[in-house]
């Protein structure tokens, strides 16, 4: 239990997928304009990464390893992730159309979000068992949720500030992301 807790804290905070590993930057910067949208994207990413970690771990352990076809892992993982994102997209379109509309093009981008594939490959590389892989995936996704929600909150506050002309728009967003990354690097010696 202690090992799983340390793994979860390490994946969510210390080795934050966006702010320490720099994976998943596209949706992080693109969807973090409003807190509600960022939270919705974070929730979708939590679902996709957690389920993808479970399914890819099962496939790797029970199909790819016994048949000695581990070299297919990247292709298989991409197909699994694409199928899961399609499922999430259909679910949101039927259940929460307002969130589906607000996420727009960024929802299908979860398919190409390198954080999702990165977690699946990390689980294999670090030789996590199925439970450790799911905990790592869930915690990594929670770390993404934390980062994107904080960024959205900061961006909402930035709109009401007087920012010099050269720093308006993308520049201030990148500076904010940089400062957040530096702040999260402060956790690097924790675990």
């Amino acid at each position: 239990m202690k090992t799983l807790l340390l793994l979860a804290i390490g994946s969510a905070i210390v080795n934050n997928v966006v702010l320490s590993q720099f994976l998943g930057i596209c949706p992080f910067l693109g969807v973090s304009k409003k807190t509600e949208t960022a939270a919705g994207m974070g929730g979708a990413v939590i679902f996709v990464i957690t389920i993808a970690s479970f399914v890819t771990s099962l496939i790797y352990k029970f199909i790819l390893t016994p048949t000695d076809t581990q070299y297919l892992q990247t292709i298989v993982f991409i197909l699994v992730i694409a199928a899961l994102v399609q499922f999430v997209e259909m679910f949101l379109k039927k259940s929460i159309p307002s969130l589906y509309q607000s996420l727009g093009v960024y929802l299908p981008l979860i398919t190409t979000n390198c954080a999702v594939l990165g977690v699946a490959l990390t689980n294999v590389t670090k030789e996590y068992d199925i439970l450790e892989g799911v905990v790592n995936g869930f915690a990594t996704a929670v770390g993404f949720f934390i980062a994107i929600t904080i960024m959205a909150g900061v961006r909402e506050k930035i709109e009401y500030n007087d920012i010099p002309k050269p720093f308006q728009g993308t520049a201030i967003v990148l500076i904010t992301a940089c400062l957040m990354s530096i702040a999260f690097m402060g956790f690097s010696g924790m675990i």
Side-chain angles (χ1 to χ4, degrees):
M1 185 65 182
K2 180 182 174 185
T3 307
L4 291 177
L5 183 62
L6 288 174
L7 176 64
I9 292 171
S11 296
I13 304 294
V14 178
N15 299 316
N16 187 284
V17 70
V18 176
L19 301 173
S20 295
Q21 298 176 14
F22 307 111
L23 297 174
I25 298 292
C26 181
F28 174 71
L29 295 175
V31 184
S32 61
K33 293 177 183 165
K34 301 253 183 258
T35 308
E36 300 83 27
T37 309
M41 174 61 103
V45 168
I46 287 173
F47 178 78
V48 169
I49 289 182
T50 304
I51 300 299
S53 296
F54 177 69
V55 173
T56 55
S57 293
L58 287 175
I59 290 172
Y60 187 79
K61 182 174 183 173
F62 295 114
I63 297 174
L64 296 179
T65 302
T67 60
D68 200 28
T69 55
Q70 293 96 332
Y71 60 90
L72 293 174
Q73 70 185 10
T74 304
I75 295 168
V76 171
F77 292 175
I78 289 171
L79 292 173
V80 167
I81 291 164
L84 287 171
V85 170
Q86 289 299 314
F87 173 73
V88 170
E89 192 172 358
M90 289 185 307
F91 175 77
L92 287 179
K93 191 173 187 177
K94 291 280 187 190
S95 303
I96 314 169
S98 60
L99 179 59
Y100 175 78
Q101 291 293 341
S102 64
L103 289 175
V105 71
Y106 294 101
L107 187 58
L109 279 179
I110 295 175
T111 303
T112 59
N113 186 345
C114 54
V116 183
L117 181 59
V119 170
L121 293 174
T122 298
N123 290 342
V124 169
T125 304
K126 294 192 176 184
E127 298 179 357
Y128 290 148
D129 63 26
I130 294 171
L131 179 61
E132 289 172 332
V134 171
V135 168
N136 180 51
F138 177 76
T140 300
V142 168
F144 179 87
F145 178 85
I146 291 168
I148 197 169
T149 306
I150 291 172
M151 177 60 114
V154 170
R155 284 181 76 174
E156 285 180 352
K157 297 293 182 190
I158 286 175
E159 287 182 26
Y160 300 110
N161 292 324
D162 187 26
I163 298 170
K165 187 88 171 150
F167 293 107
Q168 291 178 358
T170 305
I172 195 67
V173 173
L174 292 175
I175 290 170
T176 304
C178 177
L179 293 173
M180 286 176 60
S181 180
I182 290 170
F184 270 72
M185 289 293 199
F187 295 116
S188 64
M190 232 172 80
I191 295 178

